[in-house]
Amino acid sequence: MFTNKDIKLGICPIGWTNDDMWDLGDENTFQQCISEMRLAGFTGCEIGHKYPSDVKELKEALDLRGMTVASKWFSSFLGTKPFEETFEEFKKEIEYLCYAGATAINISEQSYSIQGNQDLSIFENKARFTDAEFAQMCDGLNKLAEYAKSNGIRACFHHHMGTCVQTLEETERMLNNTSDDLLLCYDTGHWTFSEVDPMAILNEFPNRIGHVHLKNMRKDVRDQAIKESWSFLKSVRNGAFTVPGDPEGCVDFEPVLRKLDEIGYTGWIMVEAEQDPAKANPFKYAKMAYEYITDLMAK
C-alpha cells in the first residue's frame, strides 16, 4: 500500500503503564516496556511516567535496542494563562526532544480540561472556551509552532476527549485560525470516540498532518460511555480502546493508511491504546498491532 518508504512505526507506553491512572500497569518497569516494544517490532516510542527523567540515560537505553523517541506530550494552558508561562516550559521540552532525536511534540491544550477527572462526563461536562480564549490559544499555538519549527521539531496539536478541542468543528476552527506551521497529531481513536469519521480531517486538511496515533475502539463500550455519560478515565478502565488489528475494534484502518500514503505523509505512525495491562497483555497486543499494520501496509 505505501509507496512512500519514509514511514516509521512506533508505539506508546500507555499500554504498559498508564500516565493518567498510575495503578494501571504499576507493576511494569521501564526496561520491560521498551524491550517488549522492540521485540514486537517497533523502533520508536513516546514518553511515559516510568521513563528515566535523565534524557541521557533514556537515550542510552533506547540506543541499545535500536530505538528512538518519536515525540512527547506537552500540556499547554494558552487560553487561560500568560503565554510566557507555557513558553518557558515548552522551550525546555524542545531542548529535551532535540537531544533525544525526536521529530515532534504533541501539544494538548489543558485549559478547563476534564480528561483527568474520574467523575465528569466528557460529553455533558466538556470544556469550552470563550471566543477570546480560543483566539488567545490560537495566537499562542502559532508562536509555539514557529519556535518548534526553528528547532527542527514538528508542533502537532493533539485533539483530545475532555478538552476544548475535542470535536471536528473545534478542530477545524483551530486549524483555520492557525498557521500551516502548526500541524495535527491525528488520532483515529479520539475521532471515533467523538463519533466522527476519521477520514474527515484527512480529506479536509491533508497538508496539516504531522504525527499519527493509530488507536482502535470497542464500539459497544463507546456507546455505553455515551449513553451513561462516562468520564474519559472510566471509559479507559472499561476497555473503550484497543490496538489496530484487534477484532473487537471498530476502526477501519485501511482507508486511513491509503489516504496517508496518497497525501505523501512522512514521519511516525504510532500505536496508542490505553488499556488495563492486567486485562490486555501489552506485549501480546503490541505484536498484534505491528503484524496487522505491516501486513496492511504491504498490500
Side-chain angles (χ1 to χ4, degrees):
M1 180 188 296
F2 262 75
T3 54
N4 181 1
K5 302 304 180 184
D6 193 14
I7 295 291
K8 295 168 283 190
L9 295 182
I11 191 168
C12 301
I14 203 162
W16 282 264
T17 56
N18 192 290
D19 288 332
D20 296 314
M21 297 174 285
W22 285 20
D23 61 301
L24 297 184
D26 189 52
E27 69 280 5
N28 295 324
T29 67
F30 162 68
Q31 296 284 346
Q32 174 193 345
C33 175
I34 60 172
S35 293
E36 290 185 352
M37 287 174 171
R38 191 66 188 96
L39 281 171
F42 296 100
T43 57
C45 64
E46 294 186 2
I47 305 297
H49 73 273
K50 286 290 187 81
Y51 283 39
S53 57
D54 185 334
V55 67
K56 294 180 180 180
E57 181 184 345
L58 170 62
K59 191 173 186 303
E60 180 180 357
L62 293 175
D63 285 347
L64 285 170
R65 294 163 175 82
M67 296 182 67
T68 189
V69 173
S71 62
K72 189 177 188 292
W73 172 282
F74 177 76
S75 294
S76 64
F77 296 88
L78 297 166
T80 55
K81 293 184 179 181
F83 173 75
E84 290 71 24
E85 289 187 27
T86 294
F87 188 48
E88 287 305 310
E89 294 304 313
F90 190 75
K91 288 190 291 186
K92 296 174 187 175
E93 296 289 19
I94 292 297
E95 182 181 0
Y96 176 103
L97 290 170
C98 286
Y99 183 89
T103 60
I105 185 167
N106 302 330
I107 304 170
S108 176
E109 177 63 19
Q110 289 295 297
S111 298
Y112 305 133
S113 172
I114 61 165
Q115 73 181 63
N117 189 301
Q118 302 250 17
D119 303 314
L120 295 179
S121 165
I122 46 178
F123 294 97
E124 295 177 1
N125 304 110
K126 193 191 88 60
R128 287 177 175 83
F129 273 152
T130 65
D131 288 345
E133 288 169 335
F134 202 94
Q136 182 174 310
M137 176 192 71
C138 290
D139 180 64
L141 288 171
N142 283 335
K143 294 174 182 176
L144 296 185
E146 182 180 8
Y147 182 80
K149 185 177 181 180
S150 70
N151 284 274
I153 301 291
R154 297 177 181 180
C156 302
F157 189 92
H158 194 340
H159 57 101
H160 201 287
M161 303 302 292
T163 72
C164 291
V165 186
Q166 168 176 303
T167 66
L168 178 60
E169 180 184 11
E170 289 163 344
T171 306
E172 290 170 331
R173 182 184 179 192
M174 183 273 298
L175 289 171
N176 282 322
N177 286 278
T178 51
S179 73
D180 287 352
D181 287 344
L182 182 72
L183 303 174
L184 194 68
C185 176
Y186 168 83
D187 191 304
T188 56
H190 285 278
W191 290 131
T192 305
F193 206 165
S194 57
E195 298 184 283
V196 170
D197 180 355
M199 293 299 296
I201 207 79
L202 287 179
N203 290 324
E204 190 175 359
F205 294 96
N207 66 318
R208 300 289 288 276
I209 309 301
H211 195 65
V212 174
H213 283 173
L214 293 188
K215 191 199 307 275
N216 210 345
M217 171 147 274
R218 295 180 174 93
K219 185 178 182 299
D220 59 333
V221 181
R222 181 200 69 178
D223 293 347
Q224 186 178 3
I226 295 171
K227 181 180 179 180
E228 299 182 11
S229 300
W230 287 358
S231 68
F232 180 71
L233 299 185
K234 183 174 181 178
S235 303
V236 170
R237 282 191 181 275
N238 281 275
F241 297 123
T242 184
V243 300
D246 185 347
E248 294 182 356
C250 68
V251 178
D252 185 359
F253 291 97
E254 184 167 354
V256 170
L257 291 174
R258 286 193 183 280
K259 186 64 177 181
L260 288 171
D261 183 38
E262 178 186 314
I263 66 178
Y265 174 76
T266 61
W268 287 98
I269 293 178
M270 310 294 294
V271 170
E272 186 191 40
E274 299 94 314
Q275 297 197 87
D276 182 348
K279 300 175 182 176
N281 181 281
F283 183 44
K284 173 185 174 181
Y285 278 79
K287 287 187 66 178
M288 181 192 301
Y290 185 83
E291 291 167 3
Y292 172 80
I293 294 169
T294 52
D295 285 349
L296 202 54
M297 291 176 69
K299 286 184 177 180

